[in-house]
Amino acid sequence: MFCDRIERARRAYLETLTLPDQAALPHASASLLHLGTRMWRAQEPRTKAHQARVWRVCHLFDATERKATLLDAAHMLWGGRDNAHMAAWRAARFDDPTFDLLSRMWAGEVWTMPQLVNAVADQQHPEDVTRSITSLVSKGYVLRDSDALTLTPEGHRVRTAVEAETNRIYFAPWGEGTDDAQLATWLAGVVAALCQ
């Protein structure tokens, strides 16, 4: 399969890279992969689309390829975060495009309709943005005065609650026995070696 050939080439290339200090690499790889596996097997979220490809790749190739395994594990954790976030906003009854708009206002990226339309121009049509903003206004999450947009306290609360639920889903599988301080030390060693 073409994709598998590309993956083999990527992994082979990663293994040619030399880190000045590789002592932390096996520990960091194993720890992150263990966390990724726990997240994959967790009951929440039920849909794990972002983790599925990485999970497949992790099991097709040799886990002793430490550099590739570290990258796989990092992608699995990243995908797990995406899955948790999607589950949280969908449980709060947001569709994906509308939640994106709310999030951009919550993050302070945009405060006018033209800014918002421009920010999502490669993903959403202007009429869809208008429709979603109308929906957010009707729910009391956003105030619109001509082109000016203001996130209401309720809009801020609901968006912050989605973030809290994302964290709950994401970190639940980490559980007992995860030595965050040791993992941070190993990863700091890997990052420092890569940045030299």
Side-chain angles (χ1 to χ4, degrees):
M1 179 187 270
F2 181 70
C3 292
D4 289 350
R5 286 202 324 262
I6 291 173
E7 182 59 29
R8 282 188 187 88
R10 180 184 75 93
R11 298 175 86 81
Y13 170 73
L14 287 172
E15 291 308 310
T16 67
L17 301 178
T18 302
L19 299 180
D21 175 11
Q22 299 198 48
L25 191 58
H27 302 294
S29 295
S31 295
L32 287 182
L33 197 56
H34 176 69
L35 285 174
T37 300
R38 286 168 90 173
M39 294 173 72
W40 175 253
R41 294 180 176 155
Q43 291 185 358
E44 286 186 287
R46 289 178 49 189
T47 302
K48 294 180 169 70
H50 291 282
Q51 290 164 281
R53 181 189 171 278
V54 180
W55 182 258
R56 176 184 169 274
V57 167
C58 284
H59 290 84
L60 279 179
F61 296 95
D62 185 356
T64 62
E65 298 169 326
R66 295 297 182 191
K67 296 176 190 94
T69 300
L70 179 64
L71 189 58
D72 292 341
H75 282 150
M76 190 176 289
L77 295 181
W78 188 352
R81 180 72 182 186
D82 288 344
N83 290 333
H85 202 34
M86 289 175 67
W89 83 57
R90 289 175 178 173
R93 299 182 183 265
F94 285 102
D95 62 68
D96 301 359
T98 302
F99 185 75
D100 182 33
L101 303 180
L102 181 68
S103 294
R104 289 172 189 271
M105 287 182 279
W106 180 74
E109 294 176 18
V110 295
W111 295 108
T112 68
M113 281 297 289
Q115 288 175 338
L116 190 56
V117 167
N118 187 53
V120 298
D122 60 340
Q123 302 158 352
Q124 299 188 44
H125 296 292
E127 58 271 19
D128 295 328
V129 173
T130 300
R131 194 171 15 262
S132 291
I133 289 298
T134 300
S135 171
L136 291 169
V137 168
S138 72
K139 292 175 181 172
Y141 299 153
V142 172
L143 295 176
R144 181 176 180 186
D145 182 11
S146 186
D147 279 341
L149 300 171
T150 305
L151 193 63
T152 66
E154 181 61 12
H156 189 273
R157 185 202 64 75
V158 76
R159 178 57 184 82
T160 301
V162 168
E163 202 68 19
E165 178 65 358
T166 299
N167 289 337
R168 183 195 68 74
I169 294 168
Y170 181 72
F171 287 111
W174 291 47
E176 295 296 321
T178 302
D179 188 342
D180 295 336
Q182 184 61 65
L183 180 57
T185 299
W186 288 330
L187 290 175
V190 171
V191 170
L194 289 170
C195 292
Q196 287 185 355

